[in-house]
Amino acid sequence: MVELKARSPCFDMLPLKVGHLALAEINPGVLTSVTPFAGQQDAVSDALTQAYGLAFPAPNRMSAAAKARAIWFGLDATLLIGPPAPSGLDRIAGITDQSDAWVCVDLSGPGHEDALARLVPVDMRIQNFPVGQTVRTLLGHMNASITRTAQDAVLILVFRSMAVSLVHDLKEAMEACAARG
């Protein structure tokens, strides 16, 4: 009988350290897409605040609390990261479990912005992309969500099927930055 084993999307490819940069896969917990029904955004924000202490994020922003994050994920949509959706949220919002759909990695270290500059058509420098800022953009040829989580770190989400391409492209950019010194 075949024995199946669960594997993370970046199984045996990460963590990776090149020069001052580190790339690590993270297990964010449950990923839930939340899209408020018409006229229900305030009610959804209230439900998230009561359950986890975070509000529905403004466009291109992240809302964070102790064990949960809400990342703007497009027009009137957010991605709840960490805990499951609070009970009853499905009465005021469309919710879908996205946990198996995305690979989540953390790129950190001094110079991470230089590595991203090789792949992302958005100015990721701290003065233009502060902590809590998020963007849906391209990373190489992949659709991505990139969120600044710290002064020298970003959370990157791409479709799970693109995990190998993500690691390959980021590794090449990290190596190019390290080679420049």
Side-chain angles (χ1 to χ4, degrees):
M1 173 179 247
V2 175
E3 184 178 331
L4 300 177
K5 295 182 181 181
R7 289 179 31 171
S8 70
C10 296
F11 175 77
D12 78 357
M13 293 185 290
L14 296 179
L16 177 66
K17 185 152 175 54
V18 178
H20 298 294
L21 300 176
L23 184 63
E25 182 176 18
I26 60 170
N27 180 351
V30 179
L31 301 175
T32 306
S33 172
V34 179
T35 306
F37 296 146
Q40 296 296 314
Q41 187 164 327
D42 289 341
V44 169
S45 188
D46 290 344
L48 293 174
T49 300
Q50 288 176 356
Y52 305 117
L54 49 88
F56 195 88
N60 295 105
R61 297 297 299 165
M62 170 186 67
S63 178
K67 295 187 180 195
R69 288 184 184 155
I71 295 177
W72 176 83
F73 223 55
L75 182 62
D76 296 330
T78 190
L79 188 68
L80 177 62
I81 299 177
S87 178
L89 191 65
D90 59 341
R91 291 191 295 270
I92 55 175
I95 60 171
T96 57
D97 184 350
Q98 298 284 313
S99 302
D100 288 337
W102 299 90
V103 57
C104 304
V105 299
D106 179 72
L107 176 63
S108 61
H112 74 284
E113 297 157 329
D114 297 331
L116 288 172
R118 296 170 179 274
L119 299 167
V120 178
V122 175
D123 186 350
M124 304 299 291
R125 292 175 297 172
I126 190 72
Q127 65 266 30
N128 296 313
F129 198 77
V131 174
Q133 192 78 24
T134 192
V135 66
R136 293 292 302 262
T137 187
L138 289 175
L139 189 147
H141 67 284
M142 298 165 277
N143 290 314
S145 169
I146 304 174
T147 304
R148 167 95 53 192
T149 56
Q151 180 82 14
D152 66 347
V154 292
L155 171 69
I156 302 170
L157 287 87
V158 301
F159 293 124
R160 181 185 181 103
S161 62
M162 304 303 288
V164 173
S165 293
L166 175 68
V167 173
H168 173 267
D169 289 357
L170 286 171
K171 180 181 178 189
E172 281 192 345
M174 292 164 68
E175 289 172 342
C177 289
R180 293 195 66 167

